[in-house]
Amino acid sequence: MAAIREHRDLAERLDLIHSVSGAGLPTAVAILVRMPEIGKITREQAAALAGLAPYDDDSGERVGGRHIAGGRERLRRALYSAALPAAMRWNPQLIALYKRLIAAGKEHKRALVACARKLLIFVNTVVARSMPWQDQPPQRNEVPAIA
């Protein structure tokens, strides 16, 4: 922590990551250290680098199941560990996602992997925009239709 705090840019990114509900300080440090390109890549690239992107197992006519593979194992473990309390208690968007996936018949672990991926997407977006996390998304201004 002291080494990160010595560098202003790293400290700012750490604070942005830590602002996301469900990303505690250990998870924020893991993301910052294990994925230095956070905020500069797309959400698909972030998920693939973390090993949270679903890949197909198809061959010819056979349609196999989807699974996660590759990526940075220690980062994936940190995100998965953070996803459990975030999806059960801390992050309203992840709570809603988890409940929706379980209601659709997904298994607990698959739903948690999806929540871990979404948590990483939230972190990537927060760092890219350089704006702290807000629990409620901003209200969209309705533009009246022109008659």
Side-chain angles (χ1 to χ4, degrees):
M1 284 297 301
I4 291 173
R5 293 286 178 201
E6 288 177 6
H7 302 280
R8 189 174 58 85
D9 59 332
L10 292 176
E12 288 174 2
R13 284 196 289 166
L14 180 67
D15 291 338
L16 287 170
I17 295 168
H18 185 60
S19 73
V20 176
S21 298
L25 196 54
T27 304
V29 170
I31 293 170
L32 186 62
V33 170
R34 306 264 177 225
M35 188 177 277
E37 55 273 305
I38 193 78
K40 298 175 185 145
I41 54 178
T42 66
R43 62 190 211 167
E44 292 86 5
Q45 291 170 332
L49 284 173
L52 293 170
Y55 292 103
D56 56 9
D57 188 21
D58 300 343
S59 178
E61 297 291 321
R62 184 181 66 82
V63 177
R66 305 305 186 243
H67 61 277
I68 60 173
R72 300 171 184 172
E73 182 181 0
R74 292 177 73 179
L75 175 63
R76 181 175 56 249
R77 286 183 181 184
L79 287 165
Y80 184 83
S81 296
L84 179 63
M88 300 295 164
R89 182 171 186 180
W90 298 112
N91 192 311
Q93 287 87 356
L94 293 181
I95 293 169
L97 173 66
Y98 179 81
K99 287 181 180 178
R100 182 172 50 86
L101 291 173
I102 293 298
K106 301 294 181 193
E107 299 111 9
H108 170 73
K109 285 188 178 183
R110 284 185 187 254
L112 276 184
V113 168
C115 290
R117 180 176 190 267
K118 187 64 82 167
L119 181 63
L120 180 62
I121 290 169
F122 291 162
V123 167
N124 192 45
T125 304
V126 162
V127 174
R129 293 181 181 171
S130 297
M131 293 178 56
W133 176 256
Q134 299 173 356
D135 279 335
Q136 297 297 325
Q139 298 294 325
R140 294 184 181 181
N141 293 334
E142 296 281 331
V143 177
I146 299 174

